[in-house]
Amino acid sequence: MSATAEVMSGEFDQAAVVAEPLPPVVGGGAVDSGVEEEEGEQKSKGRGQIVLGRNVHTSCLAVTEPEANDEFTGDKEAYMASVLARYRKTLMERTKHHLGYPYNLDFDYGALAQLQHFSINNLGDPFIESNYGVHSRQFEVGVLDWFARLWEIEKTKYWGYITNCGTEGNLHGILVGREVFPEGILYASRESHYSVFKAARMYRMECVKVGTLVSGEIDCADFRANLQANKDKPAIINVNIGTTVKGAVDDLDLVIQTLEESGFTHDRFYIHCDGALFGLMMPFVKRAPKVSFKKPIGSVSVSGHKFVGCPMPCGVQITRMEHINALSRNVEYLASRDATIMGSRNGHAPIFLWYTLNRKGYKGFQKEVQKCLRNAHYLKDRLRGAGISAMLNELSSTVVFERPLDEEFVRMWQLACEGNIAHAVVMPNVTIEKLDVFLNELVEKRSGWYGEGRGEPPCVAGDLGSENCDCGLHK
Amino acid sequence: MSATAEVMSGEFDQAAVVAEPLPPVVGGGAVDSGVEEEEGEQKSKGRGQIVLGRNVHTSCLAVTEPEANDEFTGDKEAYMASVLARYRKTLMERTKHHLGYPYNLDFDYGALAQLQHFSINNLGDPFIESNYGVHSRQFEVGVLDWFARLWEIEKTKYWGYITNCGTEGNLHGILVGREVFPEGILYASRESHYSVFKAARMYRMECVKVGTLVSGEIDCADFRANLQANKDKPAIINVNIGTTVKGAVDDLDLVIQTLEESGFTHDRFYIHCDGALFGLMMPFVKRAPKVSFKKPIGSVSVSGHKFVGCPMPCGVQITRMEHINALSRNVEYLASRDATIMGSRNGHAPIFLWYTLNRKGYKGFQKEVQKCLRNAHYLKDRLRGAGISAMLNELSSTVVFERPLDEEFVRMWQLACEGNIAHAVVMPNVTIEKLDVFLNELVEKRSGWYGEGRGEPPCVAGDLGSENCDCGLHK
């Protein structure tokens, strides 16, 4: 190749790039550590053990330097293929046994596999072109419009973007709130997602934790008392459209009423709705307090990998154009269009969402919500029927119940636990058949855990209320 | 199905979920707007026009409600397939003509397509198990270990995670710095990435912008003067291992020396290295100031979608275990293991990185770095040979040159521009052949832009130094 030869003879110094020695390579032994081993490692860990500050290195799949003759022998390719095949098997098994997290694992994006070869990046603002041409803004804005209709705000009045996850939505919503009210106090119920309190700390905001009812909803009496004590400062409120643990939906209308009755006019508060899971379900539930920009709210976020389902975490964030303009004016010393939290953004996620929204439509989601609520009732009823403490909030598909004694069982079904309670989130991929397998296994195993001198089931009246508790004292 | 029947007869109220009316649907006309149209829209926008505050809605691909008979007619499926096919064609063309962003577009992850069906989520800390079983921590930690070796820190001494992009790495590194020194001042050269200044604002930190040399490197004389003026407060420094526009590498050793000479002992400063692109290239370049945890640095971040190449943005963040322990102690009122910025994290990205690192190894990256630097020299030499102002920093593959007059040409090659300069980043997928096509087209078109009363090429001496300027005055 003559062009290359020409370069080689130029001023470029080959020696400049030969930095030796290269980092030490990993020993051959590491090649044998595989997925199976990792599973064993997981199982041996026991109940909720936190190993913060200790690296879990025994279970990892080391990256190894290719051997000089790898291309000839094919050993490396074979090794990698075997790791991936075993990993895939693990994923299938783990996906099948999953009840604890609100992820819809039922999706088929085969039609989109053709796009995996592209490095799709929606740098910066969805509504402003960048020079990087390999983007998916046309899909992203289509998805945003769909959510804007759902939450009742006009195209010309909203701004939003597809985020990396629910946390990014909360970080963005609360940042917008802080920029609108730099001296504002952040109010959030103590059952809010941890990212809300993380935001307060990151942003150096004063934060008030508000108490909750047994259901997990924000306690508006306590909220009112806190507002009274801080009347001089604007309020930024995180409203949970579905709490993480109990799936409780804060009463948005009552929150607004409490603010108004406490003397907070609309120009002195900002409401961010954290709709991680239920932000997409509530619009289809008749009795739910409607999430709508016709009400005095500032932003709504929802996760895309939860009710919609997506191979990787993502989310949707919608706010009012007026707020984002204020934010952007403030950052004029930056690249003027920097209104997102992240700079580079996954361009595949909007296409996954676009694909599913198009296929299902509002009607399809309505049907799925109906199915999930029905199946959640089934699960709760059967638990109570078997004498197991359980609670299901009216507007929720999250069934909270007595924590299973056996940690192995908890891990197998990937239940999220907190203290004496566990929960299962009934998503579109959770069928009656799957629930029956789970229930039968639970009932059978549980009969061996308690009674005949082996102790009693835990009392969960403090978590779920005595009416939902089936312990010796309350049943 | 008897189980379902049983539920239907229970207390569950079907009517609860029939919230009507559903949001209004998009008219049929929107179905016709496609990718081609969007391209036209892009082209008509002209030079760097920023439309902040205006929604770009004419070009989006609307989500439409399925018709009742769609499953029967197959119209919707056919429409979506045609949109995707056209989009894929656009992506291929756009990927082929791309020089401006430091993304390696040359990858083949066909072997990983089998994993797209899974919702892989590495919630929270990479080193701490969560109950969600569909994760890829074993790959993530393998990748982190590889980078830890590269940057010379022991397995037991580091903490890190795979981020969503370079911005998240900077947000994390600077947050750790602030938690270590709550009263610290953030210093960053004015050519630092905008995310650094965004972090200062988000975190309510005092921030000092330090001047730069013509090369784009931090001006350590100015840095020294600023340190002298703020001796009473600890220093948090963002060091650029490759600036965004000029690819300039800040002299880490000189920065440390300046701190020490200004009386800042190691317990009074924190250095975050923003190695977005070059963090992975510099270790293989002999004369480069080495990024190493053997030096008094606190954290390093690098992008995964840049030199490595990945379908979606991602990055690697490594810091010292002692710092993350301090951070985690501080957040004990949160979920105790919340040490990342994002909560849910893309579990596919670590597998992409793991796959490429395994295939290429340190030796493979060394070869690619060599090729990139060589090809960048070729590009710079040919530009200068054609009488076009151009600059290439010694340790860089980013060639900065006179901004092409024709915005159409800029868009075609997706060049990143700032004022009178443009740049091309020579990545592993940029071959001599591709550069020749670009150069020939540029030289041919440029001959029509200037001379014979049509104006002169711009002077870029202010940006690139007079020795690199080929304008009428300086050549």
Side-chain angles (χ1 to χ4, degrees):
Chain A
M1 204 168 56
S2 68
T4 308
E6 188 185 341
V7 183
M8 304 288 272
S9 64
E11 63 171 275
F12 178 68
D13 176 12
Q14 287 284 342
V17 291
V18 190
E20 298 283 5
L22 291 172
V25 298
V26 172
V31 175
D32 295 316
S33 76
V35 174
E36 312 299 335
E37 198 177 319
E38 204 249 348
E39 285 304 300
E41 165 79 11
Q42 282 185 12
K43 282 175 191 157
S44 69
K45 275 228 194 81
R47 183 158 178 152
Q49 190 184 337
I50 291 172
V51 289
L52 193 69
R54 281 242 321 279
N55 276 353
V56 180
H57 269 119
T58 49
S59 59
C60 83
L61 294 162
V63 174
T64 57
E65 193 73 4
E67 302 283 336
N69 61 350
D70 264 342
E71 287 203 23
F72 177 72
T73 64
D75 285 354
K76 184 100 189 198
E77 289 289 331
Y79 159 67
M80 284 175 31
S82 77
V83 167
L84 291 172
R86 275 189 294 170
Y87 179 59
R88 184 165 183 276
K89 219 181 123 210
T90 308
L91 289 181
M92 287 176 69
E93 186 279 323
R94 295 282 71 199
T95 295
K96 201 170 123 196
H97 291 96
H98 175 263
L99 282 177
Y101 290 81
Y103 307 150
N104 180 5
L105 304 182
D106 185 14
F107 51 76
D108 176 6
Y109 289 121
L112 304 180
Q114 57 178 322
L115 304 179
Q116 195 185 275
H117 304 288
F118 300 101
S119 183
I120 312 180
N121 190 335
N122 292 350
L123 292 133
D125 196 297
F127 300 103
I128 299 171
E129 296 295 336
S130 107
N131 276 357
Y132 184 60
V134 188
H135 68 80
S136 65
R137 279 180 178 72
Q138 61 276 47
F139 295 91
E140 183 174 23
V141 175
V143 170
L144 293 173
D145 280 353
W146 190 91
F147 279 93
R149 279 199 302 282
L150 188 67
W151 296 326
E152 304 187 312
I153 184 166
E154 287 173 49
K155 280 188 187 186
T156 54
K157 297 282 175 62
Y158 88 85
W159 183 91
Y161 73 107
I162 308 286
T163 61
N164 285 292
C165 59
T167 290
E168 186 173 355
N170 288 342
L171 290 182
H172 193 273
I174 293 168
L175 182 62
V176 169
R178 193 199 71 176
E179 295 308 289
V180 172
F181 297 119
E183 301 305 317
I185 294 176
L186 177 63
Y187 297 86
S189 92
R190 63 185 178 84
E191 300 201 27
S192 301
H193 190 252
Y194 61 84
S195 59
V196 172
F197 304 106
K198 175 158 67 178
R201 180 151 178 267
M202 281 170 67
Y203 301 154
R204 291 183 158 166
M205 296 169 77
E206 197 178 332
C207 178
V208 172
K209 272 194 193 183
V210 180
T212 46
L213 308 175
V214 169
S215 67
E217 287 171 67
I218 189 167
D219 177 356
C220 279
D222 189 40
F223 179 44
R224 184 185 303 265
N226 278 300
L227 286 173
Q228 295 293 340
N230 297 286
K231 275 194 140 167
D232 53 327
K233 290 192 176 169
I236 298 158
I237 308 98
N238 176 75
V239 169
N240 297 305
I241 309 301
T243 59
T244 314
V245 176
K246 295 182 181 173
V249 178
D250 290 348
D251 188 334
L252 175 60
D253 296 331
L254 189 57
V255 166
I256 294 170
Q257 191 189 324
T258 305
L259 281 159
E260 289 171 347
E261 288 173 3
S262 303
F264 284 77
T265 49
H266 290 193
D267 59 348
R268 290 193 63 236
F269 67 81
Y270 179 98
I271 293 176
H272 170 67
C273 296
D274 174 6
L277 167 60
F278 293 166
L280 182 48
M281 296 175 72
M282 284 309 102
F284 304 111
V285 180
K286 207 178 194 172
R287 291 195 294 257
K290 197 164 189 178
V291 174
S292 165
F293 279 92
K294 290 182 178 166
K295 300 175 182 178
I297 63 171
S299 46
V300 184
S301 58
V302 69
S303 295
H305 57 299
K306 292 184 177 160
F307 202 76
V308 182
C310 188
M312 70 279 293
C314 63
V316 174
Q317 171 72 359
I318 300 269
T319 184
R320 292 180 193 274
M321 183 69 84
E322 64 199 77
H323 295 323
I324 212 68
N325 283 347
L327 183 75
S328 302
R329 269 201 298 282
N330 289 345
V331 293
E332 62 188 355
Y333 70 94
L334 303 184
S336 63
R337 39 189 155 181
D338 182 37
T340 62
I341 301 275
M342 292 302 160
S344 291
R345 296 186 299 104
N346 183 350
H348 292 270
I351 308 175
F352 288 121
L353 297 181
W354 181 88
Y355 186 79
T356 297
L357 299 186
N358 255 307
R359 291 191 67 167
K360 295 190 176 168
Y362 296 112
K363 280 215 186 76
F365 283 106
Q366 188 183 42
K367 269 187 210 157
E368 293 202 327
V369 168
Q370 185 167 359
K371 190 178 88 174
C372 289
L373 294 185
R374 193 178 59 207
N375 290 353
H377 272 266
Y378 174 73
L379 172 59
K380 190 259 292 176
D381 289 346
R382 275 210 53 191
L383 284 166
R384 295 305 302 271
I388 301 172
S389 306
M391 179 182 87
L392 171 61
N393 277 310
E394 187 195 14
L395 306 171
S396 173
S397 71
T398 301
V399 180
V400 192
F401 54 97
E402 165 203 310
R403 180 178 185 149
L405 188 69
D406 180 10
E407 204 58 28
E408 181 86 9
F409 181 83
V410 167
R411 292 201 79 89
M412 165 60 81
W413 288 96
Q414 302 162 54
L415 304 173
C417 297
E418 195 180 85
N420 280 334
I421 57 175
H423 78 212
V425 188
V426 178
M427 298 299 285
N429 65 315
V430 176
T431 58
I432 292 284
E433 289 74 16
K434 187 174 191 170
L435 290 174
D436 281 338
V437 173
F438 167 75
L439 284 159
N440 293 340
E441 197 179 319
L442 174 61
V443 169
E444 190 202 316
K445 295 217 168 202
R446 189 170 177 275
S447 68
W449 297 339
Y450 303 115
E452 300 179 22
R454 280 165 303 196
E456 295 295 322
C459 171
V460 296
D463 298 299
L464 309 184
S466 54
E467 71 277 19
N468 296 310
C469 184
D470 260 326
C471 81
L473 189 64
H474 294 106
K475 74 180 165 190
Chain B
M1 205 170 57
S2 68
T4 309
E6 187 185 341
V7 183
M8 304 287 273
S9 65
E11 63 172 277
F12 178 66
D13 175 13
Q14 286 284 343
V17 293
V18 189
E20 296 287 3
L22 290 173
V25 299
V26 173
V31 175
D32 295 313
S33 75
V35 175
E36 311 298 336
E37 198 177 320
E38 204 250 349
E39 286 304 300
E41 164 79 12
Q42 281 184 13
K43 281 173 189 155
S44 70
K45 277 230 194 78
R47 181 155 179 155
Q49 190 186 337
I50 291 171
V51 289
L52 193 67
R54 282 239 322 280
N55 275 354
V56 180
H57 269 121
T58 51
S59 59
C60 83
L61 294 163
V63 174
T64 57
E65 193 73 4
E67 302 283 337
N69 60 351
D70 264 342
E71 285 205 24
F72 177 71
T73 65
D75 284 355
K76 183 99 188 199
E77 288 290 329
Y79 160 66
M80 286 178 29
S82 79
V83 167
L84 291 172
R86 277 190 293 169
Y87 179 60
R88 183 165 184 275
K89 221 181 120 209
T90 308
L91 288 181
M92 287 177 70
E93 185 279 322
R94 295 281 72 199
T95 295
K96 202 170 122 196
H97 291 97
H98 176 262
L99 283 177
Y101 289 80
Y103 307 149
N104 180 6
L105 304 183
D106 186 15
F107 51 75
D108 176 8
Y109 289 121
L112 304 181
Q114 58 178 319
L115 304 179
Q116 194 184 274
H117 304 288
F118 300 101
S119 184
I120 313 180
N121 190 337
N122 292 349
L123 292 133
D125 196 298
F127 300 104
I128 298 172
E129 297 294 335
S130 105
N131 275 359
Y132 184 60
V134 188
H135 69 81
S136 65
R137 279 180 176 73
Q138 61 276 46
F139 295 90
E140 183 173 23
V141 175
V143 169
L144 293 174
D145 280 353
W146 190 91
F147 279 93
R149 279 198 302 281
L150 188 69
W151 295 328
E152 306 188 311
I153 183 166
E154 289 173 47
K155 281 187 187 187
T156 53
K157 296 283 175 62
Y158 89 85
W159 183 91
Y161 73 107
I162 308 288
T163 62
N164 285 293
C165 58
T167 290
E168 187 174 353
N170 288 343
L171 290 183
H172 193 272
I174 293 168
L175 182 62
V176 170
R178 193 198 72 174
E179 295 308 288
V180 173
F181 297 120
E183 299 305 316
I185 295 176
L186 177 63
Y187 298 85
S189 93
R190 63 185 179 85
E191 300 200 29
S192 301
H193 190 253
Y194 60 84
S195 60
V196 172
F197 304 108
K198 175 157 67 178
R201 181 152 175 267
M202 280 170 66
Y203 301 154
R204 291 183 158 166
M205 296 170 76
E206 197 178 333
C207 177
V208 171
K209 271 193 192 185
V210 181
T212 46
L213 308 175
V214 170
S215 67
E217 287 170 66
I218 189 167
D219 177 356
C220 279
D222 189 40
F223 179 44
R224 186 186 302 266
N226 277 301
L227 285 173
Q228 295 293 338
N230 296 286
K231 275 194 140 167
D232 53 326
K233 289 191 176 171
I236 298 159
I237 308 100
N238 176 73
V239 169
N240 297 305
I241 309 302
T243 60
T244 314
V245 176
K246 295 182 180 172
V249 178
D250 290 348
D251 188 334
L252 175 60
D253 296 333
L254 189 56
V255 166
I256 294 171
Q257 193 190 322
T258 305
L259 281 159
E260 289 171 346
E261 287 173 4
S262 302
F264 284 77
T265 48
H266 291 193
D267 58 350
R268 290 193 62 237
F269 68 82
Y270 179 97
I271 293 176
H272 170 68
C273 296
D274 175 7
L277 168 60
F278 294 167
L280 183 47
M281 296 176 72
M282 285 308 103
F284 304 110
V285 180
K286 206 179 195 172
R287 290 194 296 254
K290 197 163 189 176
V291 174
S292 164
F293 279 92
K294 288 180 179 169
K295 299 176 182 176
I297 62 172
S299 47
V300 184
S301 58
V302 68
S303 295
H305 58 298
K306 291 183 177 162
F307 203 76
V308 181
C310 188
M312 69 281 293
C314 63
V316 174
Q317 171 72 358
I318 301 269
T319 184
R320 294 182 192 272
M321 184 68 84
E322 64 199 76
H323 295 323
I324 212 68
N325 283 347
L327 182 74
S328 300
R329 268 200 300 278
N330 290 344
V331 292
E332 61 189 355
Y333 69 95
L334 303 185
S336 62
R337 40 191 152 179
D338 182 37
T340 62
I341 301 277
M342 293 303 160
S344 289
R345 297 187 297 104
N346 182 349
H348 292 270
I351 307 175
F352 288 121
L353 297 181
W354 181 88
Y355 186 80
T356 297
L357 299 185
N358 255 308
R359 291 190 68 166
K360 295 190 176 168
Y362 296 112
K363 279 214 185 77
F365 282 106
Q366 188 183 44
K367 269 187 210 158
E368 293 202 328
V369 168
Q370 185 167 0
K371 190 179 89 174
C372 290
L373 294 184
R374 194 177 60 207
N375 290 354
H377 271 266
Y378 174 73
L379 172 60
K380 190 260 289 174
D381 289 346
R382 278 210 52 193
L383 285 166
R384 295 304 303 269
I388 300 172
S389 305
M391 180 181 88
L392 171 61
N393 277 311
E394 187 193 15
L395 306 172
S396 174
S397 71
T398 301
V399 179
V400 192
F401 54 98
E402 165 203 311
R403 180 179 184 145
L405 188 68
D406 180 10
E407 204 59 28
E408 182 86 11
F409 182 83
V410 167
R411 289 200 81 88
M412 166 59 84
W413 288 95
Q414 302 163 53
L415 305 172
C417 297
E418 193 179 86
N420 281 333
I421 57 175
H423 78 212
V425 187
V426 179
M427 297 300 285
N429 63 316
V430 176
T431 59
I432 291 285
E433 288 73 16
K434 186 173 190 170
L435 289 174
D436 280 339
V437 173
F438 168 74
L439 283 159
N440 294 340
E441 196 179 318
L442 174 61
V443 169
E444 190 202 316
K445 295 219 166 201
R446 190 170 177 274
S447 68
W449 297 339
Y450 303 115
E452 300 178 20
R454 282 167 302 197
E456 295 294 322
C459 171
V460 296
D463 297 299
L464 309 182
S466 54
E467 71 278 17
N468 295 311
C469 184
D470 260 325
C471 82
L473 188 66
H474 293 107
K475 74 178 163 192

